[in-house]
């Protein structure tokens, strides 16, 4: 079983330099106990199933799917698709993913880091907020 351990933060100040890609995603299921997400990220697509979050962990299963299938599945999703640009910034042994949202969420900038354990320590860059 896949386990995702991540921490999320708001970003304050300038976004650091890093590779980026455009993402469109939407949800087939938004139940508090599970979510099912479709995501198109530049030239690839994925379906992701996540369980309920306990602490900073939750089960996660992600599989590549054809972009054409993802485009059709987006039409079945709940609500409008979410649009964002994801910047990837390596810092030490970690990779920060910084999402700059567009559309209805324009102005929101969130950084997340995946960890090996909930107690793993990491450096907090100066641009990291709450």
């Amino acid at each position: 079983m896949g386990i995702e351990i991540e921490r999320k933060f708001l970003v304050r100040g300038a976004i650091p330099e890093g590779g980026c890609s455009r993402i469109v995603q939407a949800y087939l299921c938004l139940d508090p106990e599970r979510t099912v997400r479709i995501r198109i990220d530049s030239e690839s697509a994925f379906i992701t199933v996540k369980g309920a979050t306990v602490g900073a962990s939750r089960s996660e299963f992600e599989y590549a799917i054809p972009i054409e299938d993802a485009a059709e599945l987006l039409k079945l999703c709940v609500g409008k698709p979410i649009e964002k640009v994801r910047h990837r910034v390596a810092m030490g042994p970690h990779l920060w993913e910084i999402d700059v949202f567009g559309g209805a969420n324009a102005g929101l900038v969130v950084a997340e880091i995946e960890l090996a354990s909930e107690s793993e320590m990491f450096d907090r860059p100066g641009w990291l907020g709450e």
Side-chain angles (χ1 to χ4, degrees):
M1 173 170 68
I3 299 291
E4 172 185 63
I5 302 169
E6 70 180 3
R7 300 275 312 272
K8 291 186 180 190
F9 302 87
L10 293 173
V11 173
R12 60 176 188 207
I15 299 166
E17 294 289 323
C20 66
S21 60
R22 294 200 175 281
I23 294 174
V24 176
Q25 69 183 38
Y27 294 85
L28 287 167
C29 175
L30 285 170
D31 185 290
E33 296 298 314
R34 71 201 56 80
T35 60
V36 180
R37 178 186 69 209
I38 304 300
R39 175 181 282 168
I40 300 175
D41 182 349
S42 295
E43 297 181 15
S44 56
F46 302 89
I47 185 167
T48 306
V49 179
K50 295 185 181 192
T53 301
V54 178
S57 303
R58 63 182 166 180
S59 57
E60 177 185 53
F61 305 89
E62 184 169 76
Y63 306 97
I65 61 174
I67 290 178
E68 299 79 15
D69 290 357
E72 289 300 314
L73 286 168
L74 283 175
K75 296 175 186 176
L76 302 175
C77 288
V78 177
K80 295 185 179 193
I82 297 167
E83 300 173 21
K84 59 188 176 181
V85 174
R86 172 163 287 172
H87 300 261
R88 292 172 178 85
V89 179
M91 296 187 73
H94 296 106
L95 177 68
W96 286 94
E97 294 179 330
I98 304 164
D99 292 335
V100 179
F101 289 82
N105 296 310
L108 177 62
V109 182
V110 176
E112 67 181 48
I113 184 172
E114 289 203 23
L115 303 170
S117 72
E118 288 193 29
S119 62
E120 181 179 357
M121 302 301 291
F122 58 93
D123 292 330
R124 290 180 58 105
W127 43 263
L128 205 60
E130 294 180 40

